Amino acid sequence: MLNKVQLIGFTGAEPEIRTTQSGKKVAILRVCTSRYTKKNGERKDYPTWHQVEIWNQATVNWLDSKGLAKGSKVFVEGENRHDRYTDKDGVDRFFSKVVVAMPGHELKSLDRPEHDQPEADD
């Protein structure tokens, strides 16, 4: 089976780095992609926001040390996952996210030289 997502978009904020109870770091990044249509010569944009969860420790460490500014152009490759939580009113909420965790998954800044990229974890 194949579960693969590839995005090219812009970051909506700097990455948020968290540490789990077990001590593992994870980075959360918001990425905006968009499509557009033209009607009567007028362009209409349709932005889509994606939550990206990065578990690849080399990438998380790179983000933690180098940072990634809001508005940076990025390439993301990962897998699509669906999750849910119960809000304060007891209502189940569902959301999708792109997870970068396995070999072959990556986050690449398209604004920086290639030599600044993290090495892949295997």
Side-chain angles (χ1 to χ4, degrees):
M1 296 293 175
L2 179 66
N3 180 354
K4 183 176 182 178
V5 175
Q6 292 181 325
L7 305 171
I8 294 178
F10 294 94
T11 59
E14 291 184 11
E16 179 183 342
I17 310 291
R18 299 179 188 166
T19 304
T20 65
Q21 290 179 344
S22 65
K24 194 168 186 179
K25 286 184 176 180
V26 60
I28 308 297
L29 190 61
R30 301 270 296 153
V31 176
C32 184
T33 60
S34 64
R35 66 177 181 84
Y36 70 91
T37 59
K38 275 191 172 180
K39 188 173 185 180
N40 299 328
E42 191 168 320
R43 180 180 165 132
K44 172 103 169 125
D45 287 307
Y46 298 92
T48 301
W49 285 95
H50 309 271
Q51 179 174 315
V52 179
E53 199 173 86
I54 303 154
W55 290 92
N56 177 305
Q57 292 303 290
T59 304
V60 174
N61 291 337
W62 173 74
L63 288 170
D64 204 15
S65 67
K66 301 278 187 188
L68 194 60
K70 176 180 178 178
S72 295
K73 190 174 186 179
V74 293
F75 168 79
V76 178
E77 183 170 356
E79 67 181 57
N80 192 31
R81 291 194 192 163
H82 303 285
D83 213 341
R84 74 177 193 178
Y85 67 95
T86 304
D87 70 12
K88 64 181 180 185
D89 297 324
V91 177
D92 281 343
R93 303 285 181 181
F94 299 88
F95 65 97
S96 296
K97 60 187 173 185
V98 177
V99 177
V100 177
M102 307 296 263
H105 293 175
E106 67 179 318
L107 168 73
K108 186 181 287 186
S109 172
L110 300 178
D111 292 337
R112 294 179 183 229
E114 190 66 29
H115 66 274
D116 281 348
Q117 300 301 310
E119 296 297 319
D121 282 349
D122 286 324

